[in-house]
Amino acid sequence: MKRSGEMKRELAENDAAPLYAGVKQMILDRIHSGEWPPKYRVPSENELVTELGVSKMTANRALRELANEGELVRIQGVGSFVAERKGASALFEVRNIAEEIAERGHSHQATVIVLAREAASPDVADALELDIGSPVFHSLIVHSENGVPVQIEDRHVHPEAAPDYLEQDFIDMTPNAYLSAVAPLSGSEHVVEAVMPQAWECKLLTILKTEPCLTIRRRTWSARGVVSTARLVYPGNRYRLESQSSRSSDR
């Protein structure tokens, strides 16, 4: 990392632009040159204030805009880090997130938050074509790529479609890999929207409350009827959703 004096000179050379834009460009130059590689911890707001002599407001705006643009990942209470190249998830095909991550040469980890039998809420009952209060299986899992959370999978499953669902180890196998084996996919529907995350979702994804997310509400069928309904939440600055038509393998 270059010394603060050198960083100040670079900032001064770009004095025609707004000060925060100069700080942004200085950081981008280091990222694009490879000096600051993915996962590198960049200077904090306070460090930028000390090293560059800028205001805290200027430093905050530079870091905030770089995070919104996907160049940095900001983790509350930890710091700002150079983002890895965004993963791409198929939008209208149903794929296994563990396989997507493996295809990029990265490591997938799953953290099971909930795995339980519950009474169906009105929305879940409607999606699974059951009576309100009927028993359903519920799983809530956080999927991570190289240790960084990239998806919350909040899923409800029709018990008749997968009676042994609650007995599975979803650390080693994803729910959609299991469901694809016991209830092969015959159809699906998707609703996509941009949302602001709920407080509990921020904690699971280690993001700020102000960071927008993309969600997919997905319902899948087998030949015997509705299998599951899932809400998939992606932090917008770590993941990109794409539509591809060449593959279709998973729910």
Side-chain angles (χ1 to χ4, degrees):
M1 179 176 171
K2 296 180 181 179
R3 299 294 181 185
S4 60
E6 194 169 347
M7 294 169 68
K8 285 182 179 178
R9 284 195 298 273
E10 288 185 21
L11 191 60
E13 291 170 0
N14 198 29
D15 60 2
L19 198 53
Y20 78 88
V23 176
K24 281 180 63 178
Q25 190 58 52
M26 184 202 67
I27 294 172
L28 282 173
D29 287 345
R30 282 158 176 71
I31 293 173
H32 295 163
S33 71
E35 181 182 345
W36 291 358
K39 295 189 177 182
Y40 181 90
R41 181 188 174 280
V42 306
S44 67
E45 290 178 18
N46 290 336
E47 289 169 336
L48 289 173
V49 168
T50 299
E51 294 176 1
L52 301 178
V54 297
S55 69
K56 191 167 184 177
M57 184 180 299
T58 294
N60 177 275
R61 180 170 179 177
L63 294 175
R64 184 178 73 249
E65 290 194 3
L66 287 170
N68 291 339
E69 293 164 10
E71 298 289 349
L72 300 179
V73 174
R74 302 184 78 184
I75 301 178
Q76 191 169 17
V78 179
S80 298
F81 301 84
V82 177
E84 293 191 90
R85 184 177 180 274
K86 287 187 179 182
S89 176
L91 180 54
F92 295 117
E93 61 177 320
V94 185
R95 300 199 62 212
N96 187 332
I97 189 168
E99 292 181 357
E100 291 182 39
I101 291 172
E103 287 173 4
R104 292 193 285 273
H106 294 170
S107 173
H108 167 262
Q109 302 86 32
T111 303
V112 178
I113 308 299
V114 174
L115 185 60
R117 176 189 177 107
E118 298 178 355
S121 67
D123 287 345
V124 170
D126 183 60
L128 295 180
E129 299 179 359
L130 292 167
D131 293 332
I132 296 172
S134 297
V136 295
F137 300 150
H138 180 209
S139 60
L140 179 64
I141 299 172
V142 178
H143 297 281
S144 298
E145 183 169 352
N146 288 349
V148 178
V150 294
Q151 184 199 81
I152 293 174
E153 176 190 346
D154 191 2
R155 183 184 298 272
H156 290 85
V157 177
H158 196 305
E160 292 183 8
D164 297 326
Y165 187 78
L166 297 182
E167 299 173 19
Q168 307 310 307
D169 180 0
F170 291 128
I171 293 177
D172 293 330
M173 174 175 57
T174 64
N176 52 30
Y178 172 71
L179 293 173
S180 293
V182 301
L185 178 70
S186 65
S188 64
E189 68 179 13
H190 308 79
V191 177
V192 183
E193 58 184 342
V195 300
M196 297 307 296
Q198 301 177 58
W200 65 270
E201 292 170 334
C202 293
K203 291 180 180 179
L204 292 180
L205 292 172
T206 64
I207 60 175
L208 298 173
K209 294 179 181 179
T210 55
E211 294 185 34
C213 292
L214 289 172
T215 68
I216 295 179
R217 294 182 183 273
R218 174 177 288 159
R219 190 161 65 132
T220 56
W221 292 266
S222 71
R224 293 175 292 176
V226 179
V227 174
S228 75
T229 180
R231 181 173 182 265
L232 310 176
V233 183
Y234 301 83
N237 66 345
R238 298 179 195 165
Y239 230 71
R240 183 180 68 247
L241 304 180
E242 296 180 341
S243 175
Q244 300 177 357
S245 59
S246 59
R247 291 174 295 186
S248 159
S249 61
D250 188 3
R251 64 165 47 75

